[in-house]
C-alpha cells in the first residue's frame, strides 16, 4: 500500500470506497507529508512504545505510527472508515482498530492491558470540539502517559502554552502546564487537509511530567479555584472565588488567604501563576481543616 499522505492517494481511497465526509465527526484528513514527518518526529516513538491513536481517519498517520512503534491501537468512531482501515493497514500486524467512541474508552484499562500499566504515547488529529475534554480526561484520570502529540486549533495550542499576563492565559493553560510541558512543533495551514478546515491548526507536543512541577495537597481544590477564577474573568480573585457556585468559602476567609499569599487584595485571578494557585489551595485547605 502506497503511503496515503498526499492528495492523489487520499482521493483514490475515498473514491474506491465512495466515502462521504461526515461533518459531525470533524473529518479533515491530513494530506501533507512534511506535517506528518513533524508529528512523527515530535512523538519520539521507538520500537518499545505502545501508541494510542485517536481518530485514525483513513489511516494516514496510523501507517507511519505502525512503522515506528511496537504496537498501535487506533480508535475510530465512523463505521464507514473501518473497512478502509482494514485495507490501508493490511501490511501491518502490530495494529488493532477499535470501532468505538473515544469518549467511552477506558484509557487506564487499555494501558494496563496493552502496556502493563507503563506510560503510553497518545497521538491524535481530532475534531476540535472533543480535543479539550479528551486531553483533560486523560490527565485527570491519571492515565500513565509519556506524551500526547495532538493537532489542535491554532488558538487552543497557543492558550496551552501561555502564562500569567497574556489574554489567552486561562484554566486550560494551567491544567495542561500542571501535567505536562507543552511545545508547539508545527503550525499547519488549512491546505494541509482534505477537506480544508475553516481555521488554522497547530501540532502541540505535551511532554507529561512523572511528578507535577508544583506541589499541592488537594489537587481538586486547586482546580476548583482555577475554574472559579477564570469563570469570572473581569472580577477580582476575591470576588470570583466568593461568587463561585462550586466553592462555599466566605469572603472574609478568602480575603485572609489572599493576604497570606502575599499578593494585592484586588488582584485578578489571571495574574496568578500555577505555583501561586497551588499555594492558595494549600492555605485555604489548612484554614478549612
Ligand atoms: N487522523 C486522521 C488524519 O490525520 O488524516 C483523521 C483526522 S480527522 C480530523 C478526525 C478523525 O476522528 C475522523 O476520522 C473522525 O471520524 C474521528 N472521530 C471523531 N470523533 C471521534 C470519537 N468520538 N471517537 C473516535 N474517533 C472519532
Amino acid at each position: 500500500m502506497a503511503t496515503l499522505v498526499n492528495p492523489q492517494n487520499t482521493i483514490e481511497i475515498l473514491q474506491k470506497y465512495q466515502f462521504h465526509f461526515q461533518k459531525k465527526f470533524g473529518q479533515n484528513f491530513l494530506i501533507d507529508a512534511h506535517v506528518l514527518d513533524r508529528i512523527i518526529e515530535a512523538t519520539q516513538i521507538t520500537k518499545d512504545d505502545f501508541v494510542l491513536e485517536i481518530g485514525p481517519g483513513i489511516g494516514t498517520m496510523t501507517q507511519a505510527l505502525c512503522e515506528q512503534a511496537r504496537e498501535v491501537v487506533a480508535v475510530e468512531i465512523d463505521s464507514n472508515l473501518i473497512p478502509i482501515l482494514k485495507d490501508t493497514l493490511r501490511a501491518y500486524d502490530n495494529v488493532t482498530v477499535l470501532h468505538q467512541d473515544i469518549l467511552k474508552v477506558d484509557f487506564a484499562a487499555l494501558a494496563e492491558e496493552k502496556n502493563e500499566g507503563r506510560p503510553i504515547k497518545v497521538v491524535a488529529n481530532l475534531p476540535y470540539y472533543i480535543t479539550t475534554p479528551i486531553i483533560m480526561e486523560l490527565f485527570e484520570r491519571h492515565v500513565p502517559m509519556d506524551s500526547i502529540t495532538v493537532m489542535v486549533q491554532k488558538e487552543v495550542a497557543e492558550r496551552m502554552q501561555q502564562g500569567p499576563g497574556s489574554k489567552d492565559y486561562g484554566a486550560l493553560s494551567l491544567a495542561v502546564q500542571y501535567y505536562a510541558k507543552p511545545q508547539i512543533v508545527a503550525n499547519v495551514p488549512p491546505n494541509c487537509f482534505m477537506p480544508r478546515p475553516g481555521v488554522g491548526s497547530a501540532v502541540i507536543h505535551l511532554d507529561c511530567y512523572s511528578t507535577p512541577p508544583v506541589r499541592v495537597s488537594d489537587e481538586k481544590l486547586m482546580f476548583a479555584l482555577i475554574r472559579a477564577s477564570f469563570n469570572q474573568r473581569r472580577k477580582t480573585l476575591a470576588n470570583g472565588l466568593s461568587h463561585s457556585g462550586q466553592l462555599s468559602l466566605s469572603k472574609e476567609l478568602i480575603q485572609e488567604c489572599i493576604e497570606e499569599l502575599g499578593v494585592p487584595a484586588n488582584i485578578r485571578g489571571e495574574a496568578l501563576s500555577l505555583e501561586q494557585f497551588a499555594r492558595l489551595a494549600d492555605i485555604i485547605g489548612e484554614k478549612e481543616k
Side-chain angles (χ1 to χ4, degrees):
M1 162 68 54
T3 164
L4 293 166
V5 71
N6 65 52
Q8 299 88 301
N9 293 354
T10 297
I11 289 170
E12 203 175 289
I13 285 286
L14 298 178
Q15 285 180 344
K16 179 173 169 191
Y17 287 90
Q18 300 195 343
F19 179 78
H20 295 289
F21 291 100
Q22 296 213 55
K23 227 183 167 143
K24 67 174 175 188
F25 293 143
Q27 292 173 334
N28 303 95
F29 298 157
L30 187 62
I31 51 167
D32 187 286
H34 179 64
V35 173
L36 179 61
D37 287 347
R38 295 289 290 276
I39 295 173
I40 297 298
E41 196 187 315
T43 61
Q44 295 176 19
I45 291 168
T46 71
K47 277 290 170 196
D48 282 337
D49 286 316
F50 169 75
V51 177
L52 168 64
E53 188 194 2
I54 308 173
I58 58 171
T60 309
M61 286 208 288
T62 327
Q63 291 182 331
L65 296 171
C66 290
E67 296 282 346
Q68 304 291 323
R70 186 191 84 237
E71 191 178 351
V72 179
V73 166
V75 181
E76 174 56 60
I77 197 169
D78 185 354
S79 56
N80 293 328
L81 288 168
I82 305 302
I84 300 183
L85 287 162
K86 211 172 197 166
D87 181 3
T88 58
L89 301 175
R90 66 178 185 276
Y92 303 99
D93 61 3
N94 58 344
V95 60
T96 309
V97 175
L98 299 179
H99 176 212
Q100 228 174 319
D101 179 349
I102 193 65
L103 295 168
K104 297 191 178 133
V105 169
D106 182 341
F107 297 110
L110 189 70
E112 188 56 48
E113 182 198 330
K114 295 286 185 184
N115 213 34
E116 295 165 343
R118 283 176 290 126
I120 67 170
K121 288 186 172 161
V122 178
V123 181
N125 170 14
L126 277 175
Y128 294 142
Y129 53 88
I130 57 168
T131 309
T132 306
I134 286 182
I135 292 176
M136 292 319 300
E137 174 94 359
L138 286 163
F139 283 142
E140 283 169 6
R141 292 206 172 214
H142 294 274
V143 176
M145 282 185 302
D146 264 335
S147 63
I148 304 176
T149 309
V150 64
M151 179 87 73
V152 293
Q153 199 171 325
K154 191 166 176 278
E155 289 72 22
V156 175
E158 281 160 3
R159 231 180 286 153
M160 289 181 185
Q161 286 204 136
Q162 291 305 335
S166 148
K167 71 170 178 28
D168 293 329
Y169 180 57
L172 179 66
S173 332
L174 284 154
V176 164
Q177 291 166 29
Y178 179 68
Y179 293 108
K181 188 171 187 294
Q183 193 193 354
I184 293 178
V185 293
N187 281 314
V188 188
N191 63 3
C192 295
F193 300 94
M194 186 182 290
R196 293 179 184 195
V199 293
S201 307
V203 178
I204 191 157
H205 180 72
L206 308 176
D207 193 2
C208 303
Y209 295 122
S210 45
T211 43
V214 300
R215 273 181 192 226
V216 60
S217 306
D218 185 346
E219 221 173 74
K220 281 209 172 93
L221 174 60
M222 179 180 76
F223 282 114
L225 296 175
I226 289 172
R227 273 194 297 272
S229 310
F230 287 97
N231 268 345
Q232 322 250 335
R233 253 184 191 271
R234 262 164 277 138
K235 289 198 169 137
T236 61
L237 176 65
N239 279 335
L241 298 185
S242 55
H243 291 131
S244 147
Q246 279 179 25
L247 298 158
S248 46
L249 304 169
S250 73
K251 193 149 188 191
E252 292 69 44
L253 178 104
I254 293 168
Q255 280 167 339
E256 227 178 277
C257 295
I258 291 177
E259 197 181 330
E260 199 172 322
L261 185 65
V263 295
N266 64 350
I267 196 164
R268 287 175 198 275
E270 66 225 50
L272 254 54
S273 66
L274 176 60
E275 254 165 345
Q276 287 172 315
F277 273 112
R279 275 206 34 230
L280 184 61
D282 281 351
I283 295 169
I284 293 175
E286 271 302 310
K287 291 221 192 286
E288 278 201 311
K289 264 187 192 162

